[in-house]
Amino acid sequence: MAALSDAEGRANQLAAALTGRTFGATRVLDAEARVDRDSEDEDAIFLHLKLSDPANETWPREDMLVLRRAVLESASKTGVELKIYVRTSPATDRPQADDENRLGV
Amino acid sequence: MQRPIRPAWLIRQAYELAGEGAGQPRNADLRRAVSAAYYALYHQFCICAANHLIPAGSQETRFRLTRNFQHNAVRQVCDWIASPSNPPANVGPTVLELRANTRVRDIAIAFQTLIEARHEADYDHMADFTRAETISLVDLADDAIATLNAIRGSRDYQALMAFVAFKSNVR
């Protein structure tokens, strides 16, 4: 239990270290971390980053490559030893084609 | 007519599912796009490993060999490279060399990210996928495939393929 609590503490430190950072044209507006079991049933950190809205359809590839590398570097600095899975979302959530329930399901 | 699984075709399918133009596509399409992106990278790994092991073999021989590379085998190797934890002792020095290679590490991060995202896309009702993230994940797979091809033949590529091969079981 203590080990898990320690991992959660480090995960939160990792999220805090990433919040506000900018990678090219992409800014991390908010970061949330949770420790959970992954699909291999192993403890891992699930990091959700809310990013500034992309200028085009998605964020620049180079920005995202640098961001993903930076997550690992920050993890090393904060003593994280678990696997880290990064998911992202844009600041603005736009409706999807089925959101109005047109299919009735 | 034999039509093999081409990673580039899966990438194209993923981009098509993620849609073009204004608005977001259907949620099911976004989830399928994430899954297709993962499978594109997985199949590229398998093709690379088979070509690396039997470079002079027939195409049929190499395609049959690809059936022996399990998802979890590739995943474990990528976890060694993309995770901050200590790697297994007997492969440790080589894994640390691979971690120091930015391109190899990018490939490992991509695989690790995509296999978990695929799992969420296919099984997790609570997972949310936006168009922006989905296209970014397809980009991630596309870049990793290009990088795998770019480093082909290098010493680190050979080590990566060797790890994938010996973590897999012949079926």
Side-chain angles (χ1 to χ4, degrees):
Chain A
M1 187 64 84
L4 192 61
S5 175
D6 183 51
E8 285 170 346
R10 291 178 194 274
N12 289 331
Q13 283 178 35
L14 176 62
L18 292 163
T19 302
R21 288 188 62 181
T22 299
F23 303 91
T26 305
R27 183 173 177 80
V28 179
L29 303 176
D30 192 22
E32 291 180 4
R34 64 184 167 87
V35 176
D36 207 341
R37 309 291 277 184
D38 67 9
S39 59
E40 285 289 281
D41 204 26
E42 294 176 357
D43 284 333
I45 293 173
F46 291 81
L47 194 58
H48 180 244
L49 305 180
K50 181 174 279 190
L51 304 178
S52 52
D53 284 330
N56 299 306
E57 294 173 332
T58 189
W59 303 280
R61 292 183 185 216
E62 184 62 24
D63 292 3
M64 298 305 288
L65 271 181
V66 175
L67 183 154
R68 291 182 190 283
R69 291 174 193 155
V71 168
L72 268 189
E73 286 161 13
S74 294
S76 295
K77 288 177 185 169
T78 50
V80 168
E81 292 191 344
L82 299 178
K83 289 184 277 187
I84 304 162
Y85 299 108
V86 177
R87 294 284 314 276
T88 58
S89 63
T92 306
D93 187 15
R94 295 188 169 83
Q96 297 183 359
D98 286 332
D99 280 356
E100 291 176 0
N101 206 21
R102 281 175 290 182
L103 293 180
V105 291
Chain B
M1 180 178 177
Q2 182 205 23
R3 295 185 178 87
I5 302 164
R6 296 198 186 280
W9 293 353
L10 289 170
I11 291 290
R12 182 175 61 192
Q13 180 197 37
Y15 279 124
E16 287 171 355
L17 287 168
E20 292 179 356
Q24 294 206 81
R26 297 184 190 285
N27 183 263
D29 287 343
L30 292 175
R31 287 175 182 266
R32 297 310 306 153
V34 171
S35 189
Y38 164 71
Y39 275 101
L41 181 55
Y42 165 71
H43 282 297
Q44 185 65 41
F45 253 105
C46 294
I47 291 166
C48 286
N51 290 346
H52 179 71
L53 289 174
I54 313 180
S58 68
Q59 191 176 66
E60 182 182 342
T61 299
R62 284 181 277 128
F63 281 157
R64 286 190 187 282
L65 189 63
T66 62
R67 300 299 307 279
N68 295 288
F69 302 122
Q70 288 95 31
H71 296 262
N72 281 349
V74 185
R75 179 182 195 153
Q76 284 178 9
V77 172
C78 290
D79 283 349
W80 292 344
I81 299 165
S83 296
S85 59
N86 291 328
N90 288 335
V91 294
T94 307
V95 170
L96 294 178
E97 285 182 20
L98 295 180
R99 282 184 189 176
N101 183 329
T102 304
R103 293 197 291 180
V104 172
R105 203 174 50 170
D106 285 345
I107 293 166
I109 291 171
F111 193 91
Q112 191 184 55
T113 301
L114 286 161
I115 195 169
E116 193 67 19
R118 184 209 77 86
H119 200 271
E120 292 182 13
D122 285 343
Y123 303 117
D124 187 354
H125 290 276
M126 302 300 288
D128 185 36
F129 289 90
T130 62
R131 182 165 177 247
E133 185 192 27
T134 301
I135 296 175
S136 181
L137 289 171
V138 184
D139 287 346
L140 184 66
D142 192 36
D143 284 340
I145 289 168
T147 306
L148 259 179
N149 289 329
I151 66 169
R152 184 173 296 171
S154 67
R155 188 185 63 171
D156 288 344
Y157 177 89
Q158 291 174 28
L160 184 61
M161 293 304 137
F163 284 160
V164 169
F166 77 61
K167 286 297 291 181
S168 297
N169 299 315
V170 174
R171 291 184 286 192

